Amino acid sequence: MSRILVTGGTGYIGSHTTVELMQQGYDVTVVDNLSNSSVDVLDGIEAIVGKRPQFANVDCNDYNAMDKIFCTYPDIKAVIHFAASKAVGESVEKPLMYYRNNIGSLITLLEIMKQHDVRNIVFSSSCTVYGQPDDEHLPVGEDAPIQKALSPYGNTKQINEEIIRDEAHADSNLHAILLRYFNPIGAHPSALIGELPNGVPQNLLPFVTQTAAGLRKELKVFGDDYNTPDGSCIRDYIYVVDLAKAHVKAVERMLEGKADEQVEVFNLGTGRGLSVLEIVRTFIDVTGVNLPYQIVGRREGDIEQVWANPKKANEVLGWRAETPTRDILASAWKWQCHLAEKK
Ligand code: NAD
Ligand code: WQD
């Protein structure tokens, strides 16, 4: 079976993807510098799969160390590149750190892949590249216009997509699949791996589960005066395990040489928009726990409403986000309870 290199593989989406790859029989080498994850995640992966992935504590910007990985594993057939810094607010405060980490690591990776004749890359992009689509482009298809990024983080995703396109133009052997994720949430049903936010969570779901667990006083719902049915913002919340499975499909497509174009783009979402208040109410209903919340003012830079048109991923990739919202929210809560037990 083929070996896949997963950068950022001890992170949230990377760990779930490593599980799905291994369960499909792939050999996996994880590279992560543990800047936003813990080495213990490997125990969780091993407990689920019954086998431990190969692991290297390496920074993707470190050319020599990355080169060594490709020398050690000459059977690498494709790379899934998750490794990146991802906190939007932090990127506004530390733009240079974000440009260096997110752009430098991709350049290094592409150089080394070429050196070792590994020409398949799956890249973690984001719906953030679309900004607020106009009515005509909702739900958002892959052909919706890319808008000026609202943060250095978002800009790194746009620049990375361009770097991949430019390199593919120059090197006709390079194949890339750019996966634009909407809002990944939830945890593995085993509750052995999940999201491990650093400090105060900025994203909705970890804030919800930590508040329900009593770790935070109350959830602040950022605005109920948007032009949406209940006034709160709308997103396309996609289950992280469904998202992980899309990566397996993308890798298969590349390795089987089925890609129609050298660089393909897929939006990964459910096709269903949910408001913040719908998430809050469903979470309370599913878990039966108390979730204190208060409506406060809008958060600067928030998009009003965005959700995916996943038709291309459904039809071309043969993938569909199938998990019901209630199950996803239950998995997030189970993971939070598991974390509390571990303490
Ligand atoms: P995460 O922080 O949990 O995982 C990223 C991993 O990369 C971490 O384990 C971190 O330690 C590692 N890392 C960072 N820089 C590195 C470097 N230079 N070398 C080696 N390892 C490095 O984040 P995630 O939520 O799993 O996101 C994975 C990818 O998906 C990122 O590229 C992110 O931008 C993208 N993405 C995430 C979301 C989201 O909402 N979670 C949405 C769209 C896109
Ligand atoms: C979701 C909704 C908030 C927290 C961010 C990045 C984006 C992408 C995904 C990577 C919004 C509301 C949130 C809270 C709230 N990441 N909210 N109270 O803003 O869609 O996107 O993560 O690429 O680039 O910007 O996700 O989870 O922060 O917010 O009311 O305490 O929940 O206003 O409507 P967002 P989020």
Side-chain angles (χ1 to χ4, degrees), residues 38 86 104 129 144 151-152 176 186 208 233 269 272 276 291:
S38 158
K86 64 158 182 179
V129 302
S151 69
V208 163
C233 292
R272 183 183 63 234
V276 178
L291 174 63

Side-chain angles (χ1 to χ4, degrees), residues 8-9 28 34 78 86 95 103 105 111 115 134-135 157 166 178 206 223 238 287 297 299 306 326:
V28 175
L34 305 178
K86 64 158 182 179
I103 293 173
S105 59
E111 285 173 347
Q115 182 98 3
D134 54 27
D135 291 350
K157 291 295 167 195
D166 288 347
L178 315 179
I238 174 173
T287 62
R299 180 172 72 176
V306 62
R326 297 178 68 86

Side-chain angles (χ1 to χ4, degrees), residues 86 88 125-128 153 157 181-184 201-205 207 219-223 226 232-235 237 276 299 302-304 306:
K86 64 158 182 179
V88 175
S125 191
S126 168
C127 70
T128 191
Y153 165 75
K157 291 295 167 195
Y181 316 152
F182 282 66
N183 289 56
Q202 304 302 308
N203 293 116
L204 179 62
L205 246 291
F207 208 105
L219 168 75
K220 292 183 172 58
V221 173
F222 298 134
Y226 286 97
S232 63
C233 292
I234 292 177
R235 298 286 185 275
Y237 295 95
V276 178
R299 180 172 72 176
D302 257 341
I303 302 292
E304 181 175 88
V306 62

